[in-house]
Amino acid sequence: MPGPCGQAPHPPLPTWQHGGVTAATHSSLFPQVPDSADAVLDGLDPEQREVATALHGPVCVLAGAGTGKTRAITHRIAYGVRAGILQPASVLAVTFTNRAAGEMRGRLRQLGAGGVQARTFHSAALRQLQYFWPKAVGGDLPRLVERKIQLVAEAAARCRVRLDRNELRDVTGEIEWAKVTQTVPGDYPAAAAKSGRDAPRDAAEISQIYAMYEQLKRDRAVIDFEDVLLLTVGILQDRHDIADHVRSQYQHFVVDEYQDVSPLQQRLLELWLGDRPNLCVVGDASQTIYSFTGATPDHLLNFRTKHPDATVVKLVRDYRSTPQVVHLANGLLSQARGRAAEHRLELVSQREPGPEPLYTEYTDEPAEAEGTARRIRDLIAAGVPAGEIAVLYRINAQSEVYEQALADAGVPYQLRGAERFFERQEVRKAIAGLRSAARFGDNDPLLDDVVDLPSQTRAVLSGNGWTTQPPAGSGAVRDQWESLAALVRLAEDFAKTRPTATLSDLVAELDERAAAQHAPAVQGVTLASLHSAKGLEWDAVFLVGLTEGMMPITYAKTDEQVEEERRLLYVGVTRARLHLVLSWALSRSPGGRASRRPSRFLNGLRPGSSTPGSRGASAPRGGSGAGAGTGGPAKRKRRSSALCRVCGKTLTDAGEVKLMRCEDCPSDMDEALYERLRDWRAGQARELGQPAYCVFTDKTLMAIAEAAPGEAGELAVIAGVGARKLERFGADVLALCAGQGLGGADEED
């Protein structure tokens, strides 16, 4: 019989035993609605089927990354509805983001279970509060303030505490944490100390601002998002008739990402549930990465203690990642410590084998970014869509060098969860300050005693919040400092390549970089922090900057904070379906001292590293990369020594290796050739519509002018040339080195 619109009917869904299980993310956009309750179960694996048919009593689903947890719980709800066991209006499914709630509602409709409520905690509570407020309190519900930061600013001013923009964001975050952990203003200092929080200001000051903020809200009859939960909890606790009304409406509850619930959300869930057992929770303690917001895995870990009769199902079949990626993820968690680690899940990949994860060590951060961009370009050329590739880093300030490298390589990209580097307010303000100093520096007392470019930059940016030492803890203040520190490092690197550069030259360079990265938004490679990558997946993932001090981050001091950093890296690893590259740089900038060490989390996993402690991780089965990272044997090849072409001394410094001479040895650079190369480069940049450094950097031009290559082979070995640029620009450069015009005639003629 023909299907809708005269189309051929869909073939029946294959069963799990016949290989019908597929990753939910690759399902059809318009799947056929199952024709019966039993058909809802088709295609589920045994553990997912166990979840779907466990419709009574408390149920705890421990679901590893990529194991189809959303598939399992949506099929559970749909099976119960289609079998007549659950009434759609009696089910409340709760998750943490509007995106996840919308996805759940869509899947339920596709399974023939429309009418089920799938909401965030705040959305569900707000609906109840709006409905019951006139009965419980009287009048209209107070206006909801969507952005509390203005009120916090006013509260601080009334307390005579001056906060800059970033401190304001951090203090606002502390107030939010206090409220979701049900901490009143007077108890904040003790609670913050007990939790080991790095408060952005003195705890007593924050307590005072918090109290004034609450007073201002009362005076103006407004509430914030945390109040939505607090007031709903208060009404349900005080008014048993209203609590009974809610419980008569909702009989069955499903909570996704249960490892991320806060104490306040847990209290609300308990009031919704009452003394009934119809609760299904889904989570993975190994993916707890938001404890700084008040989230805790304790409720998930204590579930079986609180509900001794609970049905517990473990989902460990990983449909997302290859065996090679899963092997690394398991090895990473095998080194973990603490309570969450005791409940880790050993994943089992259900996919065909793929390439081994690659471990790549670079000399410096720009080399790491350039190497990453080259690999990405190769993947795109091999058919991997740019939208299926991601570069993940620990903090947003790391994005700039990757934005630059991808722009230089002509690879489109998009940022997730953060503004582009040059669009950030603190960066725009800092560049404006540098521009002003470049124009009117003679009248700026900050610049009286400094002469070199890096010192001038540091002096100017000190007025914007940059200090020689980073601020304690995390948050907006630390994020701002990292952005300014990135500008300082850029100025230092710029001065090394152009020793005579001025502030005006630096501002021009920054303008060029900003212009190159402000192209219209396109579908491209995703640049994202590890936190903002949670819940997403790509065919290829590059985990970059994996050094001590960044992973784990410097301000992770306690054992539990370090373990959360390990879980964050685990989340990053498990975002990859097929290709996974892990990289780090031994120094920050070219020519810098190679003092960095790879992340301790890679010990026992990357080739050549020892396993920490007595409970070591099993080593990966090959697949390492070094330097440019092309793969190969487990042991890194020993590089041949580079010798100074002036004195013959062995070179060890990366910057000296690029120039093929000691820093102290005299330069035999042909100044006239260097200027000809710069003029030629400017013309090429104008013709291509790109910044000059996209053709060749100043350091590369300097190396060319010193070497004066006479043939393509000699030009190719110069750092920064490469095969692509050799093919594109080689003839012109060799002609200039030979003293010829680009038309072939001798320049003197």
Side-chain angles (χ1 to χ4, degrees):
M1 177 179 292
C5 302
Q7 296 177 342
H10 290 276
L13 292 173
T15 62
W16 172 79
Q17 291 89 341
H18 292 89
V21 177
T22 57
T25 49
H26 296 293
S27 60
S28 169
L29 288 176
F30 302 102
Q32 186 179 35
V33 175
D35 56 12
S36 67
D38 288 340
V40 173
L41 303 179
D42 290 344
L44 300 182
D45 68 31
E47 293 78 26
Q48 292 171 343
R49 181 180 286 255
E50 185 179 357
V51 173
T53 54
L55 297 173
H56 300 288
V59 178
C60 180
V61 183
L62 302 175
T67 58
K69 66 179 178 64
T70 306
R71 179 183 180 88
I73 58 177
T74 51
H75 281 69
R76 176 184 187 270
I77 296 170
Y79 176 71
V81 169
R82 299 292 297 275
I85 300 171
L86 304 178
Q87 295 301 313
S90 74
V91 180
L92 178 59
V94 188
T95 187
F96 281 81
T97 66
N98 289 320
R99 180 183 63 83
E103 179 186 356
M104 191 176 292
R105 288 193 296 269
R107 292 197 191 191
L108 288 168
R109 284 194 299 270
Q110 293 170 359
L111 293 170
V116 173
Q117 293 292 310
R119 298 186 174 276
T120 64
F121 272 101
H122 283 87
S123 173
L126 182 58
R127 280 172 62 91
Q128 294 174 21
L129 199 58
Q130 289 170 331
Y131 184 81
F132 291 112
W133 185 268
K135 179 179 179 180
V137 181
D140 295 329
L141 180 69
R143 180 173 61 88
L144 179 63
V145 176
E146 294 191 1
R147 296 188 73 251
K148 61 173 68 69
I149 199 163
Q150 290 94 342
L151 268 180
V152 176
E154 185 175 343
R158 292 199 177 194
C159 294
R160 301 182 183 278
V161 177
R162 296 189 61 180
L163 301 175
D164 65 27
R165 183 177 63 91
N166 291 284
E167 288 177 322
L168 187 58
R169 285 170 52 195
D170 288 345
V171 169
T172 301
E174 287 301 294
I175 292 174
E176 291 173 349
W177 172 83
K179 298 185 76 166
V180 301
T181 55
Q182 302 175 84
T183 302
V184 298
D187 294 341
Y188 170 79
K194 183 178 180 181
S195 300
R197 295 185 70 80
D198 271 320
R201 296 289 294 240
D202 180 76
E205 283 185 335
I206 295 177
S207 175
Q208 185 183 13
I209 296 170
Y210 178 14
M212 179 58 69
Y213 168 75
E214 293 296 316
Q215 182 63 51
L216 287 174
K217 287 200 291 99
R218 287 191 295 271
D219 293 344
R220 296 173 188 182
V222 297
I223 60 175
D224 61 26
F225 274 102
E226 289 70 41
D227 290 330
V228 170
L229 300 184
L230 285 164
L231 292 170
T232 305
V233 165
I235 288 175
L236 295 178
Q237 285 181 159
D238 296 341
R239 293 290 299 268
H240 297 292
D241 57 329
I242 293 177
D244 289 341
H245 189 148
V246 172
R247 291 166 192 162
S248 68
Q249 169 71 45
Y250 295 116
Q251 305 288 328
H252 301 271
F253 296 86
V254 177
V255 184
D256 193 12
E257 302 288 3
Y258 193 54
Q259 77 278 353
D260 288 333
V261 297
S262 69
L264 180 56
Q265 290 165 332
Q266 175 64 23
R267 180 61 186 141
L268 178 58
L269 178 62
E270 291 168 352
L271 289 166
W272 282 341
L273 192 63
D275 57 1
R276 297 167 298 172
N278 296 324
L279 171 65
C280 174
V281 300
V282 188
D284 178 10
S286 296
Q287 296 188 68
T288 305
I289 59 173
Y290 298 112
S291 65
F292 59 90
T293 67
T296 171
D298 289 347
H299 305 298
L300 176 66
L301 299 177
N302 293 336
F303 193 85
R304 282 171 287 185
T305 302
K306 187 173 182 178
H307 304 280
D309 58 337
T311 299
V312 179
V313 184
K314 294 183 179 181
L315 301 183
V316 297
R317 301 175 195 263
D318 188 320
Y319 298 99
R320 175 188 299 159
S321 305
T322 62
Q324 288 76 10
V325 173
V326 168
H327 183 73
L328 173 57
N330 288 335
L332 186 61
L333 284 190
S334 71
Q335 304 176 10
R337 301 288 186 271
R339 192 168 178 226
E342 295 170 1
H343 295 79
R344 65 181 178 272
L345 300 169
E346 188 85 8
L347 300 179
V348 181
S349 175
Q350 306 298 296
R351 294 193 55 174
E352 292 294 320
E356 294 284 351
L358 294 174
Y359 299 82
T360 309
E361 183 175 279
Y362 293 93
T363 55
D364 51 65
E365 286 181 6
E368 183 179 9
E370 291 166 8
T372 299
R374 283 195 301 271
R375 272 189 168 144
I376 289 173
R377 195 175 59 215
D378 292 344
L379 282 174
I380 294 173
V384 180
E388 287 294 345
I389 302 173
V391 178
L392 306 182
Y393 34 75
R394 178 59 180 84
I395 59 174
N396 287 323
Q398 291 173 271
S399 74
E400 191 274 335
V401 68
Y402 293 93
E403 294 178 56
Q404 183 66 50
L406 290 173
D408 288 352
V411 175
Y413 67 88
Q414 56 184 340
L415 267 77
R416 178 178 177 83
E419 297 171 298
R420 292 171 184 258
F421 181 81
F422 287 101
E423 293 174 358
R424 295 170 194 166
Q425 183 172 343
E426 64 267 22
V427 174
R428 294 201 307 268
K429 184 177 178 181
I431 293 177
L434 291 169
R435 194 185 315 279
S436 176
R439 291 176 179 173
F440 311 111
D442 292 342
N443 299 320
D444 191 340
L446 281 173
L447 303 180
D448 285 348
D449 299 323
V450 292
V451 291
D452 62 284
L453 178 60
S455 297
Q456 291 175 332
T457 304
R458 288 190 287 266
V460 173
L461 297 188
S462 64
N464 294 72
W466 180 83
T467 56
T468 55
Q469 295 298 319
S474 57
V477 173
R478 178 65 179 243
D479 290 344
Q480 179 200 31
W481 184 90
E482 294 285 359
S483 294
L484 297 179
L487 288 175
V488 170
R489 292 195 296 268
L490 196 151
E492 292 169 349
D493 295 341
F494 187 62
K496 288 179 182 177
T497 59
R498 293 184 59 182
T500 60
T502 64
L503 269 177
S504 296
D505 296 327
L506 175 62
V507 170
E509 173 75 6
L510 293 174
D511 287 343
E512 279 191 359
R513 287 173 176 252
Q517 296 173 32
H518 282 185
V522 293
Q523 177 67 19
V525 174
T526 298
L527 297 179
S529 70
L530 286 163
H531 279 103
S532 65
K534 179 76 164 63
L536 304 175
E537 57 186 84
W538 295 270
D539 284 344
V541 170
F542 291 78
L543 300 176
V544 299
L546 301 182
T547 60
E548 285 291 307
M550 193 59 73
M551 178 56 64
I553 198 76
T554 306
Y555 47 76
K557 304 294 186 184
T558 68
D559 290 343
E560 179 48 41
Q561 288 170 338
V562 170
E563 286 304 316
E564 182 152 338
E565 293 286 299
R566 187 194 306 276
R567 295 194 293 269
L568 188 57
L569 180 57
Y570 172 79
V571 166
V573 168
T574 55
R575 300 310 94 194
R577 299 190 192 108
L578 181 62
H579 303 280
L580 178 63
V581 180
L582 305 94
S583 64
W584 59 92
L586 296 179
S587 68
R588 178 183 58 76
S589 57
R593 188 164 60 90
S595 58
R596 291 178 170 177
R597 292 181 293 121
S599 169
R600 71 189 75 171
F601 300 146
L602 301 182
N603 290 344
L605 300 174
R606 62 183 179 87
S609 63
S610 58
T611 304
S614 57
R615 295 175 55 214
S618 54
R621 297 162 294 194
S624 67
T630 56
K635 292 185 178 179
R636 215 174 344 144
K637 293 181 179 179
R638 185 184 184 91
R639 294 182 181 178
S640 57
S641 298
L643 302 179
C644 174
R645 54 189 168 79
V646 179
C647 69
K649 177 184 173 183
T650 300
L651 301 175
T652 57
D653 181 86
E656 293 179 344
V657 170
K658 287 190 175 183
L659 291 176
M660 293 302 293
R661 64 175 172 82
C662 301
E663 191 73 31
D664 298 333
C665 283
S667 169
D668 53 357
M669 183 176 72
D670 184 334
E671 296 286 351
L673 173 58
Y674 180 66
E675 291 304 320
R676 290 201 302 274
L677 287 168
R678 283 176 56 84
D679 291 342
W680 164 82
R681 181 182 67 172
Q684 289 291 322
R686 284 194 299 271
E687 183 178 329
L688 296 172
Q690 294 180 338
Y693 56 80
C694 291
V695 181
F696 286 118
T697 64
D698 284 347
K699 180 166 284 189
T700 300
L701 290 188
M702 188 182 300
I704 294 172
E706 289 190 355
E711 58 184 35
E714 295 174 352
L715 177 60
V717 299
I718 294 176
V721 176
R724 186 169 63 92
K725 291 189 177 181
L726 178 66
E727 180 180 357
R728 189 170 193 176
F729 305 123
D732 283 1
V733 172
L734 290 173
L736 290 169
C737 290
Q740 298 175 342
L742 298 185
D746 187 83
E747 283 195 349
E748 292 183 2
D749 295 339

